[in-house]
Amino acid sequence: MSRAIDPGERIRCANVEVKGLAREQVIGGPTFSGVTIDGAAITVTAARAKPLLGGSGGLTAEDLRASILTPDGVSFVITARFGKIDTVSRTAELVDGVVFETSTGYRIQTERIVTSLDATEIIADGTITASGPLGQITAGQMVLRQKSEPGMQSTYDLVFKSGVKLIYTPRQ
C-alpha cells in the first residue's frame, strides 16, 4: 500500500550541487566496448568521465575497470582509481592503485598501465609486484602482447622485465 501524499510537504531532491553540474560536462557510469584487431573483446567502464580540455576527443575518468576477453578464452581485468582514454592514439592510461588480474592466476599491482584499444597490448613501465602460479614476482616492467607465428595458433605472452626477482613457491 502506498503512503498518503501530503501536498504541503517539501519536494525531496538529490543532494547535489546543481551549479557544478551545469558548469562541467560529466558522464555518469560510461561504458566503452569494442573488439581489437586480434579478436579480443574489450570493455572499459568508469564511475564518472569528463572530456579533456581542448576538444581532443579524449576523456579523463575515475574508478576505471577494463575487461579483455581473448578469442582463446583467457581474460584480463584492470582496475584503477583514475585514467585517461585517448581516442586519437587509441590507448587507455590507468593510474593510481592499478591492479591487473589474469584468468591464469596472476595478480599484478603497479601505479600505471597503458593498454591499446586496437590490439591486445598491456604495458606497465614502472615497478610491479605480482603473485601467481610460480610465486611472488617483482620487476621494473611488465608487457602482455599477442604472440603469433606463421602456422601456429596465436597466444598471449606475459613478460616481466628489468630486474626481475622471483620467489618460487612450489605447488603442494
Side-chain angles (χ1 to χ4, degrees):
M1 295 177 77
S2 64
R3 298 180 305 170
I5 297 174
D6 179 4
E9 187 178 352
R10 284 184 41 194
I11 298 173
R12 294 185 190 138
C13 297
N15 188 17
V16 296
E17 183 189 341
V18 176
K19 288 180 184 176
L21 287 174
R23 184 175 51 250
E24 293 181 14
Q25 294 180 359
V26 177
I27 304 165
T31 299
F32 308 91
S33 57
V35 178
T36 64
I37 58 174
D38 53 294
I42 184 167
T43 303
V44 180
T45 61
R48 302 171 22 117
K50 57 185 169 181
L52 288 170
L53 298 175
S56 67
L59 53 95
T60 60
E62 298 173 13
D63 297 325
L64 283 107
R65 177 183 171 90
S67 302
I68 301 167
L69 178 62
T70 66
D72 59 355
V74 177
S75 64
F76 310 105
V77 175
I78 309 167
T79 57
R81 289 187 188 98
F82 302 102
K84 179 173 79 170
I85 297 174
D86 186 334
T87 56
V88 174
S89 67
R90 305 283 300 146
T91 59
E93 177 185 19
L94 294 90
V95 296
D96 196 9
V98 179
V99 176
F100 172 56
E101 297 178 287
T102 73
S103 61
T104 56
Y106 287 93
R107 184 174 197 279
I108 300 155
Q109 296 176 286
T110 188
E111 282 304 307
R112 178 178 179 265
I113 279 184
V114 176
T115 182
S116 172
L117 299 174
D118 288 339
T120 306
E121 180 179 61
I122 300 168
I123 300 169
D125 57 4
T127 303
I128 64 99
T129 57
S131 59
L134 295 176
Q136 303 296 314
I137 301 167
T138 57
Q141 294 179 326
M142 177 219 65
V143 177
L144 178 119
R145 284 193 179 114
Q146 181 188 33
K147 178 183 176 183
S148 59
E149 296 177 17
M152 302 289 290
Q153 181 179 355
S154 294
T155 59
Y156 296 86
D157 285 345
L158 179 59
V159 179
F160 300 100
K161 303 178 179 183
S162 301
V164 177
K165 179 181 175 186
L166 167 65
I167 300 175
Y168 177 66
T169 307
R171 291 189 177 173
Q172 300 286 334

